[in-house]
């Protein structure tokens, strides 16, 4: 099974304005590869608030490829993979909105939300934000850098698998009452957790 953590940053409040993507591959209980790509949003409109969060400006992406070309590079990796994101509702809405913008079909994959997993596995944490989980796990990273966010999401998922004695990250849902989300050519289903 392929498991890949993913994180998007956006240029403005529109979900289809991805300006960066980070991916981190999990194999045999460790992060084996991390990639980041800048993305040129179709309308090149950047909001000051978003720039303040991630530091990406229009001049950083003016020569970058647009969303379809960037994601096509990872097509074979993503096909059939279990994807994971911290607050997957956001990242997968960015992915869907970007595909919709370019009239492209959705890939076939299963996805997990590491935020929902952390809430279930570590209920005693005061917050389940990625930076605070990283702090708890002793991980240093640059928050809102897509590659670093994806890598920390992957590392946190590995620790969560250990915490529930799962053989792999993709085995966590069955142990915590989670139903993985799905993206298919026909649409999507959200990642959900049974009420405890």
């Amino acid at each position: 099974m392929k498991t890949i953590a993913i994180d998007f940053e956006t240029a403005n409040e529109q979900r289809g304005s991805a300006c960066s993507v980070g991916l981190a591959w999990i194999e045999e209980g460790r992060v084996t590869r991390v990639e980041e790509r800048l993305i040129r949003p179709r309308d090149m409109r950047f909001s000051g608030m978003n720039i303040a969060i991630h530091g990406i400006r229009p001049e950083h992406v003016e020569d970058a490829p647009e969303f379809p070309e960037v994601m096509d590079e990872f097509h074979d990796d993503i096909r059939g993979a279990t994807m994971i994101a911290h607050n997957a509702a956001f990242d997968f809405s960015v992915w869907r909105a970007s595909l919709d913008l370019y009239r492209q079909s959705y890939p076939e994959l299963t996805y997990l939300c590491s935020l929902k997993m952390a809430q279930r596995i570590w209920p005693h944490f005061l917050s389940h934000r990625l930076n605070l989980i990283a702090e708890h796990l002793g991980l240093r990273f640059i928050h809102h850098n897509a590659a670093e966010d994806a890598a920390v999401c992957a590392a946190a998922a590995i620790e969560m698998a250990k915490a529930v004695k799962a053989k792999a990250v993709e085995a966590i849902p069955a142990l915590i009452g989670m139903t993985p989300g799905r993206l298919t050519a026909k649409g999507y289903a959200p990642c959900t957790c049974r009420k405890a």
Side-chain angles (χ1 to χ4, degrees), residues 86-88 113-130 133 156 160 164 172 176 178 191-194 196:
H86 202 74
N87 190 12
C113 178
S114 59
L115 172 62
K116 289 180 186 293
M117 285 166 31
Q119 289 168 337
R120 186 60 65 94
I121 294 167
W122 295 317
H124 56 285
F125 284 15
L126 295 178
S127 169
H128 296 90
R129 293 178 52 169
L130 191 61
I133 288 174
M160 285 185 252
V164 296
I172 294 172
I176 65 167
M178 172 179 273
C191 178
T192 59
C193 277
R194 231 181 14 245

Side-chain angles (χ1 to χ4, degrees), residues 69-114:
E69 187 180 342
V70 170
M71 296 308 289
D72 193 52
E73 178 185 348
F74 303 109
H75 177 268
D76 290 342
D77 292 298
I78 289 166
R79 187 176 51 227
T82 296
M83 305 295 294
I84 185 166
H86 202 74
N87 190 12
F90 171 78
D91 292 286
F92 282 84
S93 70
V94 170
W95 201 342
R96 294 193 321 270
S98 299
L99 289 169
D100 292 345
L101 183 65
Y102 290 96
R103 300 178 192 275
Q104 292 198 314
S105 60
Y106 298 166
E108 298 272 341
L109 56 85
T110 299
Y111 69 91
L112 309 176
C113 178
S114 59

Side-chain angles (χ1 to χ4, degrees), residues 1-15:
M1 284 292 289
K2 293 183 288 186
T3 305
I4 306 169
I6 190 164
D7 181 80
F8 288 103
E9 300 297 331
T10 56
N12 57 57
E13 74 287 348
Q14 296 292 322
R15 293 294 167 95

Side-chain angles (χ1 to χ4, degrees), residues 8-12 14-21 38-42 46 61 65 67 94-95 98:
F8 288 103
E9 300 297 331
T10 56
N12 57 57
Q14 296 292 322
R15 293 294 167 95
S17 68
C19 61
S20 171
V21 62
L38 292 175
I39 300 168
R40 181 164 35 93
R42 181 177 264 185
F46 279 71
V61 301
F67 189 88
V94 170
W95 201 342
S98 299

